[in-house]
């Protein structure tokens, strides 16, 4: 099942609220979502959630998620986001494949700061490094890019 980007963001926020990662800033959330989408594309040959990342100065960004959480600045996100229809969305708790997958992402990347994760996305051969700032990152680049 493909989710909305806000549903995946809220799932990560829930993980943070449950103490499974710390200091979930907007930058860290963006990078966790980027790694989740990349790994999901590689392992399942389909997207985990809707939306495309753009290449911004500090790495890949989903504009929808940026605008939803930008008010937190460099502070930890402490409330859930809502869809453009002001609806709360998250991953279905019975979708064990996705909930376990997101836990694996947290286990792999959750101890890093947003700045450290941003640095990781800037390395040679990553999807972000394959284009100019301001362009879209397509799924093929995410599948083929180093993470």
């Amino acid at each position: 099942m493909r989710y909305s980007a806000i549903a995946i963001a809220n799932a990560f926020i829930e993980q943070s609220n449950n103490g499974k990662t710390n200091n979930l800033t907007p930058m860290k959330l963006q990078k966790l979502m980027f790694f989740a989408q990349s790994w999901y594309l590689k392992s399942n040959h389909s997207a985990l959630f809707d939306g495309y990342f753009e290449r911004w100065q500090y790495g890949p960004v989903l504009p929808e998620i940026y605008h939803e959480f930008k008010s937190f600045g460099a502070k930890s996100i402490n409330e859930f986001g809502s869809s453009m229809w002001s609806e709360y969305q998250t991953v279905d708790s019975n979708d064990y494949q996705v909930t376990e997958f997101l836990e694996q992402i947290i286990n792999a990347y959750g101890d890093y700061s947003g700045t450290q994760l941003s640095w990781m996305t800037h390395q040679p051969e990553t999807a972000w490094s394959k284009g100019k700032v301001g362009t879209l990152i397509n799924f093929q680049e995410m599948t083929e890019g180093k993470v």
Side-chain angles (χ1 to χ4, degrees), residues 1-9 11-12 31-53 62 90-92 95-106 139 142-143:
M1 171 180 202
R2 187 183 292 195
Y3 288 94
S4 67
I6 198 69
I8 299 299
F12 279 125
K31 304 322 172 234
L32 289 175
M33 291 188 67
F34 177 76
F35 289 128
Q37 185 79 299
S38 295
W39 281 112
Y40 202 84
L41 284 164
K42 288 174 187 284
S43 61
N44 295 290
H45 309 289
S46 64
L48 174 61
F49 56 86
D50 295 325
Y52 289 94
F53 286 88
L62 280 165
T90 193
V91 172
D92 181 347
D95 189 343
Y96 299 112
Q97 178 195 7
V98 171
T99 54
E100 288 175 12
F101 174 79
L102 295 178
E103 286 178 15
Q104 290 174 351
I105 296 299
I106 290 287
F139 289 160
M142 292 179 78
T143 302

Side-chain angles (χ1 to χ4, degrees), residues 8-142:
I8 299 299
N10 284 337
F12 279 125
I13 294 166
E14 186 173 354
Q15 294 275 354
S16 177
N17 290 346
N18 291 335
K20 294 187 178 174
T21 187
N22 58 5
N23 199 23
L24 186 67
T25 63
M27 180 186 280
K28 183 173 181 174
L29 176 62
Q30 288 282 351
K31 304 322 172 234
L32 289 175
M33 291 188 67
F34 177 76
F35 289 128
Q37 185 79 299
S38 295
W39 281 112
Y40 202 84
L41 284 164
K42 288 174 187 284
S43 61
N44 295 290
H45 309 289
S46 64
L48 174 61
F49 56 86
D50 295 325
Y52 289 94
F53 286 88
E54 294 178 3
R55 290 176 177 90
W56 287 21
Q57 178 181 358
Y58 296 108
V61 170
L62 280 165
E64 164 189 353
I65 298 303
Y66 170 80
H67 291 295
E68 182 66 19
F69 297 105
K70 67 183 176 186
S71 63
F72 289 95
K75 296 178 187 156
S76 190
I77 298 169
N78 60 11
E79 57 189 56
F80 295 112
S82 59
S83 72
M84 60 191 292
W85 300 280
S86 299
E87 297 172 335
Y88 170 75
Q89 298 175 357
T90 193
V91 172
D92 181 347
S93 60
N94 294 320
D95 189 343
Y96 299 112
Q97 178 195 7
V98 171
T99 54
E100 288 175 12
F101 174 79
L102 295 178
E103 286 178 15
Q104 290 174 351
I105 296 299
I106 290 287
N107 290 338
Y109 299 104
D111 288 340
Y112 295 101
S113 69
T115 303
Q116 290 169 315
L117 294 172
S118 178
W119 178 84
M120 289 178 198
T121 66
H122 282 66
Q123 297 309 297
E125 303 304 314
T126 61
W128 180 88
S129 72
K130 294 178 183 266
K132 294 182 180 183
V133 170
T135 60
L136 287 178
I137 301 173
N138 64 47
F139 289 160
Q140 182 175 346
E141 290 170 322
M142 292 179 78

